Amino acid sequence: MELGMIGLGRMGAAMVRRLLKAGHSCVVHDTRRESVDSLQKDGAQGAHSLEELVRRLPAPRAVWLMLPAGVVDGTLTKLTALLEAGDTVIEGGNSHYRDDLRRSAELRARGIHYVDAGVSGGVWGQTRGYCLMIGGEQEAVGRLEPVFSALAPGVEAEPRTPGREGPPTPAEQGWLHCGPNGAGHFVKMVHNGIEYALMAAYAEGLNILHHANVGKHPPTADAETAPLREPEAYPYDFNLAEVTELWRRGSVIGSWLLDLSAQALFKNPELSDFSGRVSDSGEGRWTQQAAIDEGVPTPVLASALYSRFTSQGEAEFSNKLLSAMRFAFGGHLEKKMKGGG
Amino acid sequence: MELGMIGLGRMGAAMVRRLLKAGHSCVVHDTRRESVDSLQKDGAQGAHSLEELVRRLPAPRAVWLMLPAGVVDGTLTKLTALLEAGDTVIEGGNSHYRDDLRRSAELRARGIHYVDAGVSGGVWGQTRGYCLMIGGEQEAVGRLEPVFSALAPGVEAEPRTPGREGPPTPAEQGWLHCGPNGAGHFVKMVHNGIEYALMAAYAEGLNILHHANVGKHPPTADAETAPLREPEAYPYDFNLAEVTELWRRGSVIGSWLLDLSAQALFKNPELSDFSGRVSDSGEGRWTQQAAIDEGVPTPVLASALYSRFTSQGEAEFSNKLLSAMRFAFGGHLEKKMKGGG
Amino acid sequence: MELGMIGLGRMGAAMVRRLLKAGHSCVVHDTRRESVDSLQKDGAQGAHSLEELVRRLPAPRAVWLMLPAGVVDGTLTKLTALLEAGDTVIEGGNSHYRDDLRRSAELRARGIHYVDAGVSGGVWGQTRGYCLMIGGEQEAVGRLEPVFSALAPGVEAEPRTPGREGPPTPAEQGWLHCGPNGAGHFVKMVHNGIEYALMAAYAEGLNILHHANVGKHPPTADAETAPLREPEAYPYDFNLAEVTELWRRGSVIGSWLLDLSAQALFKNPELSDFSGRVSDSGEGRWTQQAAIDEGVPTPVLASALYSRFTSQGEAEFSNKLLSAMRFAFGGHLEKKMKGGG
Amino acid sequence: MELGMIGLGRMGAAMVRRLLKAGHSCVVHDTRRESVDSLQKDGAQGAHSLEELVRRLPAPRAVWLMLPAGVVDGTLTKLTALLEAGDTVIEGGNSHYRDDLRRSAELRARGIHYVDAGVSGGVWGQTRGYCLMIGGEQEAVGRLEPVFSALAPGVEAEPRTPGREGPPTPAEQGWLHCGPNGAGHFVKMVHNGIEYALMAAYAEGLNILHHANVGKHPPTADAETAPLREPEAYPYDFNLAEVTELWRRGSVIGSWLLDLSAQALFKNPELSDFSGRVSDSGEGRWTQQAAIDEGVPTPVLASALYSRFTSQGEAEFSNKLLSAMRFAFGGHLEKKMKGGG
């Protein structure tokens, strides 16, 4: 079928290429002309304005937005002014699902369908396929089935779950109509919340292995440092590239994130390309807000999120206050940071 | 090669079958005669006592223990009285690595080698292969290479990590000599610590999805219950069997634990076979102790462990004290538990 | 001065009594006639309708609302229809500070002042005085200074902070104009977020002391239960009423919450009047939401909140999924809960 | 009575002064001659060697050790060689209670009593009195009652708990015989575990207030930074010195740690004397180990401890691994740290 794609960054461009390869037609637009030109060479129809994109698509149109969260609303306003009743907009970026609720109500009043699509797969999606979490009305979602099927990895990407027989469900192919508007980004939001904690689980565990030789050089015990009681129990110099490689086969903790960790540690065992500051892009925060609204305990997910905030330097005032209290009641003056910070 | 196996429970018996299939000879013993008989029919040599097992093995012997943690030391004492200098004992159960340090020193004094082997793979290992984390002296470990190779899944179990070329390392086959004694169980301990947190990450996230329809039946707001400010934002009835199935293909959070979750939710979406009490078998605890000794922050791993303790009812006194304080300062009387608890 | 009070529950009635005792005049209203009558006997002027209350107050009026959060908006709508430009409404209940932002803008458009007041002190406030956290315009707040002074504990309630000299600031007396509208309930919100964590700190620590005799009756070690490695290190039967009493004098952790804990444990060492379910009334949740919006790490506050959610039974589905995974990979069947749950 | 004191640092010297003031005789020793001389001027008998100290004390002797944890065992070995059956050693430093178990058994074999004393009060204890948590045999503890009474704050330090009548118990005076050997340091250990979490509760909450003006200068939203959805809800410039002062009177969260926070923030609102690195001196770690051995969930206490580890730089490798994974799956390159780190 024919699909318009607005936003040709890392994700959007790769999705278009996957769609073209599957035989779909794509009309593409981006504010950067070179992004449009590059995809045009690969078989897409370039559009150098929203007007041109809308004009080139047959009604009822389907236009997919793949934009940074901050520019979605502005683009949507301009775009919907050009669309007609019966057209469909698919928002595939990192939108908060509450924005989907608001936008879909606004567009519905004008007869335009809104579909929210959470997209996972990262830079690997072009070859591996994208996992698609979809929210919207049945009618609009159903019409887009060929696009979702082409983007998704397909059932053969993993062995079928025992007991599942007959024609694969959409979920088995890698896309799912999760529910009404917002449902797609809600599921994607929780997906990312889980992702943060999975990542932290590996990172914390591997950090224990990384420090398992602390007994060879135990920290000086003084009034300000807890002594290591049994240094002889920490003599191990583990090779983390080999350990993560090992766990990929036969262990309970095999996963794609482990595969990536093994790759990263094989390339650079000390991970010296990275500074220790870890960004968060919103979904982890929104996941906590949903958990709190629902009254659902998520201590593991929360810990992973807060560790990122701390890595960004945001515990500094807290820590200074701890030191100020320690000085006030015990006369403790803190030792300086490693590296003289 | 020839291997003695003591302990023919779920794990030990399956490992023997995998070894037999690979062409190794096994002399097997268990205190339950029927376990011995059953494996004898599959091609193992049965031994109805430790003496018989030792007698049937050619020197230098290799004897693998696959026993509940509580009976290892007793069996080891009896066994080593029968062994000779040059023999090797492999402890493959859930031992604390500090017990490995102690035992290996004791056996070394008598010329007997001790190898610790952390084994992951659970009930699926017989067909899928076992992930083996090995600690001990190079000489003893090297001699056992054919056994480890046969038990491990093999390199073909997963695609090779990009950049790894030439003959696969042992880790790529699914076994690794991690370091001196204790190193195997240390790595296995951290593996399980990570496992607890990975499991909790999925469980907490799916619990948010499970409650995403709370807006349809918001809890009564009263002085003792926080009101849900925007119930209209929680209208979703998610199908968790389909969502977990979806995430298996193309998402960032694919893993074997997710595969198992998808299976469990497909079979019984409400998970009504389970009570909500979750055991912990030691490694998660020891992982925390190592983190604390090393001074390494592991808030995510700790949260997962403490959630299990709470599921076991161990927060009860804490919670009563919270209620007692609330009553003391605010006159708050708590509402009764769901179900009148 | 003259103050109207709407809402004569535990808090509102006691505040009126404290104001009357300080020589202020109060016109009081509640939907329960007997609450009005009871305060009338103590010297307040009763009003059996909002109209009567407004009529009895001289302009410019000051009316304090002390109502359950759920009925504030309804009452406010009726009340403001009766008020005139120049009047002031003080909202002293457990409002979300964002509701203060909305309401104050609405009332400002009509020339009515809105002041938000976070009130701490619980059932003890009538004698001990109330800690008042105030938000609003300087003009409106300044006019209410006599009321705030009368409600607050006064500077003599605690020794002055070293270095503070001269006339005590309002904060030293126990009330503070924290900032523009919403500031009062914002500070009260964080106060309660801190409160939850302080309470949890004592509760968790005392739970460790409560179980310090576990070595006398160690749990049976089996494949589903982690063994206690050194039972001889846990022989202690602590008297928690005496320990909490002890900590009240000279320790670093003395506090009012500790005083209350000591009282509760002295009355009933096993706390058998309480079930283990702990409510949360909103501020702890909103505190987390603010922390997340700000990107500030609050792992300790979050853990305290999530422990309450868990006590309310909301981890049940998570825990069932953990058991389902354990069964899937290891064939583990969980032990039954204590008491056969 | 007569008491020997070994170790005249901040704590030991102040304790001697408090004992002298109460009329007790003290023989004092320290490896630093000037510390001995200084106390001699205040009325103590100086001893320039352990031999001299022992010689100057009448049998049965009572000798209190107030030393850094790392030198206790060495000093104890030398000291006990000089003591006689019937003498008593009191260890008042930051010993692990398991060391008390070991040492008391060793000394008991030689007829020497061992008493463990957890001492809280910090630099304020000389005037305020010390909170004493005592473990040991009844006979030895009973004999020391005059010393404990003199060091403790006394019943008048706080109002009596309602319901407590008649002669005050020792706990009401500020000292308690908690149980057999180790019990004193066990209770002190948990005291410190609680202390860490109380401190963190205030620090985290005040950090939220500190950042409540983030809406005035919202962080730039980009693909690597979560946007602040409603900046207008974060306009507040709170004065934390006034807020903490406010909470001291009438609020639920009043405490000595809050008093100290109010002092520190009054002196230096930005806490610029401190770097953000927070030490931990052992008890917080041991508290977690006890909780884990007992299977008691302590998520709040653990979070406080791990935040300190993180402040010490120990999450660095974890965080690098998170960044490495983010780069691997999403091509994310992290932003630089504030201040160019």
Side-chain angles (χ1 to χ4, degrees):
Chain A
M1 63 181 284
E2 292 203 77
L3 184 80
M5 176 68 75
I6 299 172
L8 305 175
R10 217 156 34 193
M11 291 289 286
M15 290 165 72
V16 167
R17 290 200 169 90
R18 189 169 171 96
L19 286 167
L20 292 171
K21 201 173 159 197
H24 294 288
S25 300
C26 296
V27 185
V28 302
H29 174 65
D30 194 286
T31 52
R32 290 159 304 179
R33 177 174 275 267
E34 63 276 19
S35 304
V36 176
D37 294 345
S38 162
L39 272 173
Q40 206 159 359
K41 283 181 202 135
D42 292 353
Q45 300 175 59
H48 291 298
S49 66
L50 292 178
E51 288 78 4
E52 187 184 349
L53 177 130
V54 170
R55 203 171 53 231
R56 282 178 177 274
L57 285 167
R61 295 169 192 83
V63 185
W64 191 302
L65 304 186
M66 210 69 206
L67 297 164
V71 305
V72 170
D73 275 313
T75 306
L76 201 55
T77 302
K78 289 182 207 151
L79 175 67
T80 51
L82 305 168
L83 294 180
E84 298 172 296
D87 290 349
T88 299
V89 175
I90 307 105
E91 157 45 21
N94 287 328
S95 282
H96 196 304
Y97 83 95
R98 293 188 177 213
D99 290 327
D100 296 324
L101 291 173
R102 172 179 52 78
R103 292 173 192 149
S104 59
E106 289 166 8
L107 269 66
R108 192 175 301 122
R110 309 183 41 186
I112 301 173
H113 303 287
Y114 180 93
V115 169
D116 52 283
V119 181
S120 181
V123 293
W124 299 73
Q126 188 180 339
T127 50
R128 198 174 173 253
Y130 298 91
C131 179
L132 301 172
M133 298 152 255
I134 314 292
E137 301 152 25
Q138 177 55 45
E139 184 198 341
V141 172
R143 212 153 45 202
L144 291 161
E145 189 272 342
V147 168
F148 298 145
S149 287
L151 289 172
V155 66
E156 64 286 350
E158 291 290 333
R160 293 188 77 178
T161 290
R164 286 191 178 261
E165 290 167 5
T169 65
E172 290 187 87
Q173 300 170 47
W175 70 275
L176 178 65
H177 182 194
C178 298
N181 272 124
H185 277 128
F186 194 105
V187 172
K188 175 58 160 52
M189 168 186 84
V190 172
H191 166 281
N192 283 33
I194 293 172
E195 172 194 308
Y196 284 22
L198 298 180
M199 291 169 70
Y202 290 114
E204 290 183 4
L206 290 168
N207 200 12
I208 297 174
L209 294 181
H210 185 65
H211 285 79
N213 61 2
V214 68
K216 291 184 170 175
H217 312 285
T220 320
D222 55 36
E224 293 303 294
T225 309
L228 178 58
R229 291 173 66 78
E230 296 170 84
E232 67 279 10
Y234 295 93
Y236 303 115
D237 290 301
F238 291 117
N239 181 328
L240 298 192
E242 294 303 298
V243 168
T244 46
E245 186 63 44
L246 170 71
W247 286 341
R248 295 184 63 220
R249 291 180 181 81
S251 91
V252 171
I253 64 173
S255 71
W256 193 52
L257 287 165
L258 179 64
D259 295 348
L260 299 178
S261 300
Q263 289 174 30
L265 289 161
F266 180 69
K267 269 199 287 190
N268 182 346
E270 287 300 315
L271 305 170
S272 51
D273 296 341
F274 302 98
S275 72
R277 187 197 190 279
V278 191
S279 295
D280 74 286
S281 56
E283 291 88 350
R285 299 182 180 207
W286 307 333
T287 299
Q288 285 313 301
Q289 288 167 334
I292 290 167
D293 279 346
E294 297 179 5
V296 163
T298 52
V300 167
L301 305 190
S303 295
L305 178 67
Y306 289 138
S307 291
R308 293 202 178 185
F309 289 175
T310 300
S311 83
Q312 295 164 20
E314 299 298 344
E316 187 185 0
F317 187 79
S318 286
N319 288 332
K320 286 181 173 183
L321 187 60
L322 296 183
S323 292
M325 288 190 219
R326 296 185 79 236
F327 181 71
F329 68 70
H332 303 289
L333 279 176
E334 306 290 354
K335 298 169 74 164
K336 293 288 176 194
M337 285 292 281
K338 279 179 179 178
Chain B
M1 64 180 284
E2 290 203 78
L3 183 80
M5 176 69 76
I6 299 173
L8 304 175
R10 220 156 30 195
M11 292 289 285
M15 290 166 72
V16 167
R17 290 198 169 91
R18 190 168 169 93
L19 287 168
L20 293 171
K21 203 172 158 197
H24 294 289
S25 299
C26 296
V27 184
V28 301
H29 174 66
D30 194 285
T31 51
R32 290 159 305 179
R33 176 173 276 270
E34 62 277 19
S35 304
V36 178
D37 294 345
S38 161
L39 272 174
Q40 205 159 0
K41 283 182 201 133
D42 292 352
Q45 300 175 60
H48 291 298
S49 67
L50 292 179
E51 288 78 3
E52 186 183 350
L53 178 128
V54 171
R55 202 171 53 231
R56 281 178 177 275
L57 287 167
R61 296 170 192 83
V63 184
W64 191 301
L65 304 188
M66 210 66 206
L67 296 164
V71 304
V72 170
D73 275 312
T75 305
L76 201 54
T77 303
K78 287 182 207 152
L79 176 66
T80 50
L82 305 168
L83 294 181
E84 298 171 296
D87 290 348
T88 299
V89 176
I90 307 105
E91 156 47 18
N94 288 327
S95 282
H96 196 304
Y97 83 96
R98 294 188 177 213
D99 289 328
D100 296 324
L101 291 173
R102 172 178 52 78
R103 290 172 193 149
S104 59
E106 290 166 6
L107 270 65
R108 192 175 302 123
R110 310 184 40 186
I112 300 173
H113 303 288
Y114 180 93
V115 168
D116 52 283
V119 181
S120 182
V123 294
W124 299 72
Q126 190 180 338
T127 51
R128 200 174 171 253
Y130 299 92
C131 179
L132 301 174
M133 297 152 255
I134 313 293
E137 300 151 26
Q138 178 54 46
E139 182 199 341
V141 172
R143 209 152 47 201
L144 291 161
E145 189 273 340
V147 168
F148 298 146
S149 288
L151 288 171
V155 67
E156 63 285 351
E158 292 290 335
R160 292 188 78 178
T161 290
R164 286 192 178 259
E165 289 166 6
T169 64
E172 290 188 87
Q173 301 170 45
W175 70 276
L176 180 65
H177 182 194
C178 298
N181 271 122
H185 277 128
F186 194 106
V187 173
K188 175 58 161 52
M189 167 185 86
V190 173
H191 165 282
N192 283 33
I194 293 172
E195 172 194 307
Y196 284 23
L198 298 180
M199 291 169 70
Y202 291 114
E204 290 183 4
L206 290 167
N207 200 13
I208 297 174
L209 294 180
H210 184 64
H211 285 79
N213 62 1
V214 68
K216 291 184 169 172
H217 312 284
T220 320
D222 55 36
E224 292 303 293
T225 309
L228 178 58
R229 290 174 67 80
E230 295 171 83
E232 66 280 8
Y234 295 93
Y236 303 115
D237 291 302
F238 290 117
N239 180 327
L240 298 192
E242 293 304 299
V243 168
T244 46
E245 186 64 41
L246 170 69
W247 287 342
R248 295 184 62 220
R249 290 181 182 81
S251 91
V252 171
I253 63 173
S255 71
W256 193 52
L257 286 166
L258 178 65
D259 295 347
L260 300 178
S261 300
Q263 289 174 29
L265 288 160
F266 180 70
K267 269 199 286 190
N268 181 348
E270 287 300 316
L271 304 171
S272 51
D273 295 341
F274 302 97
S275 71
R277 186 197 191 280
V278 191
S279 295
D280 73 286
S281 55
E283 289 88 351
R285 301 182 180 207
W286 307 333
T287 299
Q288 286 312 302
Q289 288 168 335
I292 291 167
D293 279 346
E294 297 179 7
V296 163
T298 52
V300 166
L301 305 190
S303 294
L305 178 67
Y306 288 139
S307 291
R308 292 202 179 184
F309 289 175
T310 300
S311 83
Q312 296 163 20
E314 299 298 344
E316 188 185 1
F317 186 79
S318 286
N319 288 331
K320 287 182 173 183
L321 186 62
L322 295 182
S323 292
M325 287 190 219
R326 296 185 80 236
F327 182 72
F329 68 69
H332 303 289
L333 278 175
E334 306 290 353
K335 297 171 72 166
K336 292 290 178 194
M337 284 293 279
K338 281 179 177 177
Chain C
M1 63 179 285
E2 291 205 78
L3 184 80
M5 176 69 74
I6 299 174
L8 305 175
R10 220 158 29 197
M11 292 288 287
M15 289 165 72
V16 167
R17 290 198 168 90
R18 189 168 170 95
L19 286 167
L20 292 172
K21 203 174 158 195
H24 295 288
S25 298
C26 296
V27 185
V28 302
H29 173 66
D30 194 286
T31 51
R32 289 159 305 179
R33 176 174 276 270
E34 65 275 20
S35 304
V36 177
D37 293 346
S38 161
L39 271 174
Q40 206 158 1
K41 284 181 201 134
D42 292 353
Q45 301 176 58
H48 291 298
S49 67
L50 292 179
E51 288 78 3
E52 188 183 349
L53 177 129
V54 170
R55 203 171 53 232
R56 282 178 176 274
L57 286 167
R61 295 169 192 84
V63 185
W64 191 301
L65 304 187
M66 210 65 206
L67 297 164
V71 304
V72 170
D73 276 312
T75 305
L76 201 54
T77 302
K78 288 182 206 150
L79 176 66
T80 51
L82 304 168
L83 294 180
E84 297 171 298
D87 290 349
T88 299
V89 176
I90 307 105
E91 156 48 18
N94 287 327
S95 283
H96 195 304
Y97 84 95
R98 294 188 177 214
D99 289 327
D100 296 324
L101 291 174
R102 171 178 51 79
R103 291 173 192 148
S104 60
E106 289 165 7
L107 269 65
R108 192 175 303 122
R110 308 184 43 186
I112 301 172
H113 303 287
Y114 180 93
V115 169
D116 52 282
V119 181
S120 182
V123 293
W124 299 73
Q126 189 179 339
T127 51
R128 198 174 173 254
Y130 298 92
C131 179
L132 300 174
M133 298 152 254
I134 313 293
E137 300 152 25
Q138 177 55 45
E139 183 198 342
V141 172
R143 210 152 46 204
L144 292 161
E145 189 273 341
V147 168
F148 298 146
S149 288
L151 289 172
V155 67
E156 64 286 353
E158 292 289 335
R160 290 188 80 179
T161 290
R164 286 190 178 262
E165 290 167 5
T169 65
E172 290 188 87
Q173 301 169 46
W175 70 275
L176 179 65
H177 182 193
C178 299
N181 272 123
H185 277 127
F186 195 105
V187 173
K188 175 60 159 52
M189 167 186 85
V190 172
H191 166 281
N192 283 33
I194 293 172
E195 171 194 309
Y196 284 22
L198 298 180
M199 291 169 70
Y202 291 114
E204 289 183 5
L206 290 168
N207 200 12
I208 297 174
L209 294 180
H210 184 64
H211 285 80
N213 62 2
V214 67
K216 291 184 171 175
H217 313 284
T220 320
D222 54 37
E224 294 304 294
T225 309
L228 178 57
R229 290 174 66 80
E230 295 170 84
E232 67 280 9
Y234 295 94
Y236 302 114
D237 291 300
F238 290 116
N239 181 328
L240 298 192
E242 292 305 298
V243 169
T244 46
E245 187 62 43
L246 170 70
W247 287 342
R248 294 184 63 221
R249 291 180 182 81
S251 92
V252 171
I253 64 173
S255 72
W256 193 51
L257 287 166
L258 179 65
D259 294 347
L260 299 178
S261 300
Q263 288 175 30
L265 288 161
F266 179 70
K267 269 199 288 190
N268 181 347
E270 287 300 315
L271 304 170
S272 51
D273 296 341
F274 302 98
S275 73
R277 186 195 191 283
V278 191
S279 294
D280 73 287
S281 56
E283 289 89 350
R285 300 182 180 207
W286 307 333
T287 300
Q288 285 313 300
Q289 288 167 336
I292 290 168
D293 279 347
E294 297 179 5
V296 163
T298 52
V300 166
L301 305 190
S303 294
L305 178 66
Y306 289 139
S307 291
R308 292 203 179 183
F309 290 175
T310 300
S311 84
Q312 295 163 19
E314 299 299 343
E316 188 185 1
F317 186 79
S318 286
N319 288 331
K320 286 182 173 183
L321 186 60
L322 295 183
S323 292
M325 287 190 220
R326 296 184 80 235
F327 182 71
F329 69 68
H332 302 290
L333 279 175
E334 306 291 354
K335 297 169 74 165
K336 292 289 177 193
M337 285 292 280
K338 282 178 177 179
Chain D
M1 62 180 286
E2 292 205 78
L3 183 80
M5 176 70 74
I6 299 173
L8 305 174
R10 217 156 33 195
M11 292 289 286
M15 289 165 73
V16 167
R17 290 200 167 88
R18 190 168 169 95
L19 287 168
L20 292 171
K21 203 175 159 195
H24 294 288
S25 301
C26 295
V27 185
V28 303
H29 174 66
D30 194 285
T31 51
R32 291 160 303 181
R33 176 174 276 268
E34 64 274 20
S35 304
V36 176
D37 293 346
S38 163
L39 272 172
Q40 206 159 0
K41 283 179 203 135
D42 292 353
Q45 301 175 59
H48 291 297
S49 66
L50 292 179
E51 288 77 5
E52 186 182 350
L53 178 128
V54 169
R55 202 172 52 232
R56 281 178 177 275
L57 286 166
R61 297 170 191 82
V63 184
W64 190 302
L65 304 188
M66 211 66 204
L67 297 164
V71 305
V72 170
D73 275 312
T75 306
L76 201 54
T77 301
K78 288 182 208 152
L79 176 66
T80 50
L82 304 168
L83 295 180
E84 299 171 297
D87 290 349
T88 298
V89 175
I90 306 105
E91 156 46 20
N94 287 328
S95 283
H96 195 305
Y97 83 95
R98 293 187 177 214
D99 290 327
D100 296 325
L101 292 174
R102 171 177 53 77
R103 291 173 193 149
S104 60
E106 289 167 7
L107 269 65
R108 192 175 301 121
R110 308 184 43 187
I112 301 173
H113 302 286
Y114 181 93
V115 169
D116 52 283
V119 181
S120 182
V123 293
W124 299 71
Q126 188 180 339
T127 51
R128 198 175 173 252
Y130 298 92
C131 179
L132 301 174
M133 298 152 255
I134 313 292
E137 298 152 28
Q138 178 53 47
E139 183 198 343
V141 173
R143 212 153 43 203
L144 291 161
E145 188 273 340
V147 168
F148 298 145
S149 288
L151 289 172
V155 66
E156 64 286 350
E158 291 290 333
R160 292 187 78 178
T161 291
R164 287 192 178 260
E165 289 167 5
T169 65
E172 289 188 271
Q173 300 170 47
W175 69 276
L176 179 65
H177 182 194
C178 298
N181 271 123
H185 277 128
F186 194 105
V187 173
K188 176 58 160 54
M189 168 185 84
V190 172
H191 166 282
N192 283 33
I194 292 171
E195 172 194 307
Y196 284 23
L198 298 179
M199 291 169 70
Y202 290 114
E204 290 183 4
L206 290 167
N207 200 13
I208 297 174
L209 294 180
H210 184 64
H211 285 79
N213 62 1
V214 68
K216 291 183 169 175
H217 312 285
T220 320
D222 55 36
E224 294 304 294
T225 309
L228 178 58
R229 291 174 66 78
E230 295 169 84
E232 67 279 10
Y234 296 93
Y236 304 114
D237 290 301
F238 292 116
N239 181 328
L240 298 192
E242 293 304 298
V243 168
T244 46
E245 186 62 43
L246 171 70
W247 287 342
R248 295 183 63 221
R249 291 181 182 79
S251 91
V252 171
I253 63 172
S255 71
W256 193 52
L257 286 166
L258 178 65
D259 295 347
L260 299 179
S261 300
Q263 289 174 29
L265 288 160
F266 180 69
K267 269 198 288 189
N268 182 347
E270 288 300 316
L271 304 172
S272 51
D273 297 340
F274 301 98
S275 71
R277 187 196 190 282
V278 191
S279 294
D280 74 286
S281 56
E283 290 88 350
R285 301 182 180 207
W286 308 332
T287 300
Q288 286 313 302
Q289 289 167 335
I292 290 167
D293 279 346
E294 297 179 6
V296 163
T298 53
V300 166
L301 305 191
S303 294
L305 178 67
Y306 289 139
S307 291
R308 293 203 177 183
F309 289 174
T310 299
S311 83
Q312 295 163 20
E314 299 298 344
E316 188 185 1
F317 187 80
S318 287
N319 288 332
K320 287 182 173 183
L321 186 61
L322 296 182
S323 292
M325 286 190 221
R326 296 184 79 237
F327 181 71
F329 68 69
H332 303 288
L333 279 176
E334 306 291 354
K335 298 170 73 164
K336 292 289 175 195
M337 284 292 281
K338 281 179 178 178

